[in-house]
Amino acid sequence: MTTITNRTFDEISIGDSCERHHTVKEQDLLLFAAVSGDRNPLHLDAEYAATTQFKGQIAHGMFTGALVSAALAMELPGPGTIYLGQNLSFRKPVMLGDQLIVRLEVTSKHDSKPVVTLACTVTNQDGKKVATGEATVMAPTEKMTVEAPELPAISIA
Amino acid sequence: MTTITNRTFDEISIGDSCERHHTVKEQDLLLFAAVSGDRNPLHLDAEYAATTQFKGQIAHGMFTGALVSAALAMELPGPGTIYLGQNLSFRKPVMLGDQLIVRLEVTSKHDSKPVVTLACTVTNQDGKKVATGEATVMAPTEKMTVEAPELPAISIA
């Protein structure tokens, strides 16, 4: 069982950051299509995608948003965080196989409320920014460690 | 095989809208946890979630973002859309079992580029707005109908 520990508002300083790595797999595209309902063939059909301007399968734009949200929830600030808002610019296509780095950096702390803003940057293996934006969260005020449930096996026929 | 047809920039008028309905199921929470990597027990563990301020399992915030992105990709403008940016405010928690309505409405068309902005509103069964925001997309300029691949069966052990 994995445990995850948060960083409370008082423990967070401007400039604090975290980085998470993720390689985009075929399963990501299928699961994101299933959970969102976006079954555009650009994401799912290699043959069709090869005929488009992208020359291959691309990830759903909001898949990078999902990775950003997971970094906030699992790491900075982590458990107990309340997600207030997110903006994202999708700057370059994310291709199947891309090796992404999701980076969060605390950019402000509110004076009177436990509200924190974080710059969010998703970069590919060529160092190009594929998505950038800003998250606003209510950071936890109580220290906590929670168990992250193991997920059941998901199989794709 | 389902086909999806887009609305081109020239066909789109300010005020055009679409609505899609979705009931939040346990499978949504599991698949979103798997695809994002956010395994916070608030989304996955009914017993734990009951002890929190939310009194039950809530959906990942960015799950509503995924639903918004699917409405853009599948319906308005649909195939050929390039997602440029999204902002979202998460206004209320989305509970397991909530019946959501995702609504998009075109709010502006650019003068010289096929860029469109859409107001995005996600409402629950009580008529409360759970998420609001704005999407910016490059609308397609060519009419197209594409086949939306059927997804393989996904089973959760």
Side-chain angles (χ1 to χ4, degrees):
Chain A
M1 180 69 84
T2 320
T3 62
I4 41 178
T5 299
N6 65 6
R7 239 181 289 182
T8 64
F9 183 75
D10 288 345
E11 290 172 335
I12 292 172
S13 303
I14 292 173
D16 282 358
S17 65
C18 76
E19 270 190 16
R20 289 161 69 90
H21 294 244
H22 186 87
T23 298
V24 181
K25 299 170 296 293
E26 184 88 34
Q27 170 155 330
D28 295 324
L29 308 188
L30 280 169
L31 291 183
F32 198 87
V35 78
S36 68
D38 178 354
R39 295 186 291 124
N40 199 298
L42 186 57
H43 308 301
L44 300 171
D45 180 339
E47 219 168 290
Y48 171 83
T51 69
T52 67
Q53 63 179 295
F54 302 108
K55 315 270 186 226
Q57 278 167 273
I58 64 168
H60 301 76
M62 202 50 91
F63 174 65
T64 59
L67 295 179
V68 165
S69 73
L72 295 161
M74 296 289 283
E75 212 158 324
L76 183 64
T81 298
I82 295 176
Y83 208 176
L84 299 177
Q86 178 73 54
N87 66 52
L88 281 171
S89 296
F90 304 112
R91 298 161 62 118
K92 286 189 179 297
V94 172
M95 309 300 296
L96 182 60
D98 274 3
Q99 295 162 270
L100 301 179
I101 302 173
V102 177
R103 185 170 198 280
L104 304 179
E105 182 174 328
V106 176
T107 49
S108 78
K109 289 182 71 175
H110 196 277
D111 280 345
S112 55
K113 291 180 291 189
V115 171
V116 170
T117 58
L118 303 100
C120 312
T121 314
V122 185
T123 311
N124 68 15
Q125 64 283 351
D126 301 321
K128 304 279 189 201
K129 290 176 184 172
V130 296
T132 55
E134 186 179 70
T136 307
V137 302
M138 183 94 71
T141 50
E142 279 176 47
K143 192 75 181 169
M144 70 171 92
T145 296
V146 298
E147 290 182 350
E150 296 303 325
L151 295 176
I154 293 172
S155 55
I156 299 175
Chain B
M1 180 70 84
T2 320
T3 61
I4 41 177
T5 299
N6 66 5
R7 239 182 289 181
T8 64
F9 182 74
D10 288 344
E11 290 172 336
I12 292 170
S13 303
I14 291 173
D16 283 357
S17 65
C18 76
E19 270 190 19
R20 289 160 70 89
H21 294 244
H22 186 88
T23 298
V24 181
K25 298 171 296 293
E26 184 87 36
Q27 170 157 328
D28 295 324
L29 309 188
L30 280 169
L31 291 183
F32 198 88
V35 77
S36 68
D38 177 354
R39 295 187 291 123
N40 199 297
L42 186 56
H43 309 301
L44 300 171
D45 180 339
E47 218 168 292
Y48 171 83
T51 69
T52 67
Q53 63 178 296
F54 302 107
K55 315 271 185 225
Q57 280 168 271
I58 64 167
H60 301 77
M62 201 49 91
F63 174 64
T64 59
L67 296 179
V68 166
S69 74
L72 296 162
M74 296 290 281
E75 213 159 322
L76 183 65
T81 298
I82 296 176
Y83 209 177
L84 298 177
Q86 178 73 54
N87 65 53
L88 281 170
S89 295
F90 304 112
R91 298 160 64 118
K92 287 191 177 296
V94 172
M95 309 300 295
L96 182 60
D98 274 3
Q99 296 163 270
L100 301 179
I101 302 174
V102 177
R103 185 169 197 280
L104 304 180
E105 181 175 331
V106 176
T107 48
S108 78
K109 290 181 70 174
H110 197 276
D111 281 343
S112 56
K113 291 179 290 187
V115 171
V116 170
T117 58
L118 302 100
C120 312
T121 315
V122 185
T123 312
N124 68 14
Q125 63 282 353
D126 301 322
K128 304 278 190 204
K129 290 177 184 173
V130 297
T132 55
E134 185 179 71
T136 306
V137 302
M138 182 94 71
T141 51
E142 278 176 49
K143 193 74 181 169
M144 70 172 90
T145 296
V146 298
E147 291 182 350
E150 295 304 323
L151 295 177
I154 293 172
S155 56
I156 298 173

